[in-house]
C-alpha cells in the first residue's frame, strides 16, 4: 500500500531532508512541499494525503493552527528543532509521532513504523 505525503516546513534544507527520506521509502509518495498554512490548505484541497510531516513553526504561524483542519483524517508526524521543554506551548495531541531535527533515515523509518499501522487499521 502506498501512502501519500505532504511536507510543511519553511526551512528549505529541512524540506529537502524529508523529501530525500520519503524517496527512500517504497511505501511513500510525496505530493508536495509547502512552507505556510495557506499552502497546506491549498495542497489538501487539491490532493488526498495520508501523512503530513509538519514543522511546529512555519511561515505565518505555528502548528496550533492545524486544529482548524480535519486533522483526524491524517497521520501527522511533527518535525521540529525545538527542545522537549518548548513543546508544552503547542497542542500536539493529534501528532502520532515527533521527530527532532536533525534526524537520521533510521529514525525517520522508525517513526513511520510506529504510525503507518494505525492508518491501515482504520
Amino acid at each position: 500500500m502506498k501512502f501519500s505525503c505532504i511536507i510543511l516546513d519553511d526551512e528549505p534544507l529541512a524540506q529537502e531532508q524529508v523529501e530525500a527520506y520519503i524517496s527512500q521509502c517504497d511505501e511513500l509518495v510525496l505530493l508536495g512541499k509547502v512552507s505556510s498554512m495557506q499552502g497546506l490548505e491549498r495542497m489538501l484541497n487539491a490532493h488526498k494525503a495520508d501523512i503530513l510531516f509538519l514543522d511546529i513553526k512555519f511561515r505565518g504561524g505555528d502548528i496550533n493552527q492545524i486544529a482548524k483542519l480535519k486533522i483526524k483524517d491524517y497521520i501527522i508526524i511533527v518535525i521540529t528543532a525545538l527542545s522537549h521543554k518548548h513543546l508544552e506551548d503547542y497542542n500536539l495531541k493529534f501528532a502520532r509521532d515527533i521527530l527532532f531535527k536533525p534526524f537520521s533515515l533510521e529514525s525517520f523509518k522508525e517513526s513511520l513504523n510506529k504510525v503507518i499501522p494505525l492508518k491501515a487499521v482504520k
Side-chain angles (χ1 to χ4, degrees):
M1 180 174 190
K2 295 276 187 178
F3 295 89
S4 56
C5 308
I6 297 173
I7 302 166
L8 167 58
D9 198 317
D10 60 355
E11 299 173 37
L13 290 177
Q15 283 186 349
E16 289 174 19
Q17 179 189 33
V18 176
E19 180 179 16
Y21 290 169
I22 288 171
S23 72
Q24 294 182 49
C25 297
D26 292 337
E27 57 276 337
L28 301 182
V29 175
L30 181 62
L31 295 175
K33 304 178 290 185
V34 296
S35 58
S36 68
M37 183 67 180
Q38 295 78 16
L40 179 62
E41 289 174 319
R42 281 192 303 273
M43 185 72 70
L44 291 174
N45 286 332
H47 302 282
K48 168 65 177 104
D50 298 305
I51 303 173
L52 306 179
F53 293 97
L54 307 177
D55 194 3
I56 287 183
K57 293 183 178 182
F58 45 82
R59 188 174 307 133
D62 63 42
I63 202 159
N64 289 331
Q65 296 173 305
I66 299 298
K68 70 181 182 177
L69 300 175
K70 294 179 181 176
I71 53 177
K72 66 181 182 337
D73 294 341
Y74 308 103
I75 294 170
I76 297 176
I77 298 175
V78 171
I79 51 177
T80 186
L82 296 177
S83 66
H84 285 277
K85 68 180 181 177
H86 292 104
L87 296 181
E88 62 192 35
D89 296 334
Y90 301 96
N91 177 7
L92 301 177
K93 293 177 186 170
F94 54 82
R96 302 282 181 94
D97 202 20
I98 300 173
L99 285 167
F100 292 92
K101 298 175 189 174
F103 50 88
S104 65
L105 176 60
E106 180 180 333
S107 295
F108 182 80
K109 287 184 175 184
E110 286 174 8
S111 179
L112 287 173
N113 285 328
K114 290 179 195 175
V115 301
I116 287 179
L118 295 176
K119 180 73 174 187
V121 169
K122 288 185 177 180

